[in-house]
Amino acid sequence: MVQYPPEARSLAALLARYRQPDDARGIFELVITAVPFSVIWALMLVGVVRGHGIGLLLAVPAAGLLVRLFMIQHDCGHGSFFRSRLANDWIGRAIGVVTLTPYDYWRRNHARHHASSGNLDHRGSGDIDTLTVSEFAARSRWRQILYRLYRHPIVMFGVGPTYLFILRHRLPIGMMRNGWQPWLSTMGTNVAIAVLAAGMIRLVGLGPFLLVHLPVMILAASIGVWLFYVQHQFENTSWSRDEDWSFHEAALYGSSHYHLPWILRWFTANIGVHHVHHLCSRIPCYRLPDVLRDHPELANVGRITLVQSLRCVPKALWDEKERRLISFRDAKIGLVARHTRTQSNGSVAGPGIRRLNS
């Protein structure tokens, strides 16, 4: 039997019944994440102090649990983890000290991302910077190189995440005109981080503290950016200009269903069900599997597997004509083909194609 893609707006209304948080479930999810993270962190510290470098291998599960804590913070930001807004906000702020993410500042920026995701005329709010083929071709050679560097995997998933969480989150960059709240959130988080770090350093020393927490933080940051990347930077995602953009269509078809093995689904708190999350962001992470169970037609919408997600990395430019993400190589081939057709019709190539081929 053929399964047709669901109509996004009516589906969003249908999914509203999954929005009600369960406080007991929320507390349970928080405890089974925060307690193991604290225990593993402490075991790593003991190993470092005693000179057992093998303890650093625990950085992998610790980073996974830190990612899960961030996803709980993310749900708190949407007001979906607990019933009480007060509980969501203060748990989110507390977790933000551990994830080095100022909660209120991040929440506001993330809300802008949800409101404009997939809109080519409103890029730049919590997104991975994405250029169209024509925009890239029109850039100077130097600015093309900078964009290529930004899109390089070492920068995107290595240097970039470390810079974002350790340095950029220390100041509310881009929020200067939004009043005192982003500054209060950021500076309050910075003070709490400083107090917590100073206490740990006084207790165990600077070297052991950095040797334990930095690898965990850097690995978790890279995983987090990878997840966000794959959730929107896949070949058949959806981008549109203002006049054609629809919130519900962009939410459902511009976000992937990142189908991961069950253990990775647990560590990432089901954030791979991202198309449903964007369509109805108030659904708690622990209820997203219920949506797929009750609405199996959603399972194949934007579905990519772990192996398939690796092919997303080269996709760096949006082809407005083909309506899909393509690689720099594909863009060059496509523009050369168009240039050849243009020359055969007696026209002259513009500077963009000449720069792209230089």
Side-chain angles (χ1 to χ4, degrees):
M1 181 178 179
V2 178
Q3 289 187 329
Y4 295 98
E7 200 281 315
R9 183 181 295 273
S10 60
L11 185 59
L14 186 65
L15 297 183
R17 67 188 182 93
Y18 296 92
R19 291 173 49 175
Q20 191 66 23
D22 181 336
D23 286 345
R25 177 68 182 273
I27 293 171
F28 174 74
E29 296 290 344
L30 180 60
V31 168
I32 64 172
T33 307
V35 171
F37 173 76
S38 301
V39 170
I40 292 175
W41 199 98
L43 289 174
M44 289 179 64
L45 184 61
V46 170
V48 167
V49 170
R50 294 185 177 180
H52 301 312
I54 194 170
L56 291 176
L57 293 176
L58 292 173
V60 176
L65 289 164
L66 188 57
V67 168
R68 198 169 199 270
L69 277 174
F70 183 86
M71 296 310 169
I72 292 174
Q73 177 187 353
H74 163 269
D75 265 25
C76 289
H78 284 291
S80 62
F81 202 73
F82 296 107
R83 293 173 183 264
S84 165
R85 178 175 177 177
L86 198 64
N88 279 312
D89 287 346
W90 283 105
I91 292 296
R93 289 176 186 132
I95 295 175
V97 177
V98 181
T99 61
L100 307 186
T101 305
Y103 170 78
D104 295 282
Y105 161 60
W106 174 86
R107 180 182 62 177
R108 178 178 293 194
N109 210 33
H110 189 65
R112 291 166 60 190
H113 159 68
H114 270 260
S116 61
S117 181
N119 191 323
L120 287 170
D121 294 315
H122 295 278
R123 283 167 283 174
S125 296
D127 296 322
I128 302 294
D129 290 346
T130 306
L131 296 177
T132 67
V133 173
S134 59
E135 288 169 344
F136 180 77
R139 285 195 164 194
S140 66
R141 185 63 176 168
W142 172 242
R143 294 185 69 200
Q144 286 185 356
I145 291 172
L146 288 178
Y147 183 71
R148 282 178 176 269
L149 284 174
Y150 167 75
R151 280 287 187 154
H152 194 281
I154 293 177
V155 175
M156 181 63 66
F157 309 116
V159 178
T162 302
Y163 162 74
L164 175 65
F165 282 90
I166 293 179
L167 295 178
R168 186 172 177 180
H169 279 174
R170 308 284 64 81
L171 284 173
I173 298 172
M175 306 288 276
M176 299 289 289
R177 298 180 180 178
N178 291 316
W180 55 268
Q181 192 174 35
W183 284 92
L184 180 62
S185 170
T186 304
M187 296 309 159
T189 302
N190 289 345
V191 169
I193 291 170
V195 169
L196 181 62
M200 293 302 300
I201 290 169
R202 183 179 177 85
L203 184 65
V204 303
L206 177 62
F209 173 74
L210 293 179
L211 197 56
V212 169
H213 198 60
L214 272 183
V216 174
M217 190 66 225
I218 290 171
L219 182 56
S222 294
I223 294 170
V225 170
W226 168 258
L227 288 170
F228 187 78
Y229 184 95
V230 171
Q231 287 157 3
H232 296 284
Q233 300 286 316
F234 58 105
E235 182 175 7
N236 295 316
T237 187
S238 175
W239 288 79
S240 302
R241 294 290 177 183
D242 243 345
E243 59 272 15
D244 299 317
W245 184 81
S246 159
F247 171 84
H248 297 94
E249 295 292 326
L252 185 59
Y253 299 112
S255 307
S256 67
H257 171 206
Y258 195 18
H259 184 67
L260 294 167
W262 73 267
I263 187 63
L264 296 183
R265 291 200 297 271
W266 185 86
F267 273 110
T268 58
N270 302 309
I271 197 63
V273 192
H274 209 64
H275 58 326
V276 175
H277 167 66
H278 261 260
L279 191 61
C280 193
S281 62
R282 293 293 298 275
I283 298 177
C285 62
Y286 46 80
R287 299 208 65 189
L288 288 172
D290 298 342
V291 175
L292 293 185
R293 180 198 64 206
D294 297 342
H295 301 275
E297 70 276 11
L298 286 172
N300 291 322
V301 176
R303 184 180 184 274
I304 55 174
T305 64
L306 186 60
V307 173
Q308 290 170 336
S309 69
L310 301 177
R311 303 170 195 159
C312 297
V313 176
K315 310 296 183 182
L317 297 167
W318 177 254
D319 189 326
E320 291 191 80
K321 186 175 181 180
E322 298 292 331
R323 294 194 53 76
R324 62 188 181 96
L325 277 178
I326 63 174
S327 65
F328 292 113
R329 181 176 179 274
D330 289 340
K332 184 174 181 178
I333 293 172
L335 285 175
V336 168
R338 293 174 201 173
H339 169 48
T340 303
R341 289 196 298 270
T342 300
Q343 280 192 323
S344 68
N345 292 330
S347 301
V348 178
I353 183 66
R354 288 197 293 270
R355 277 199 297 270
L356 196 63
N357 288 318
S358 60

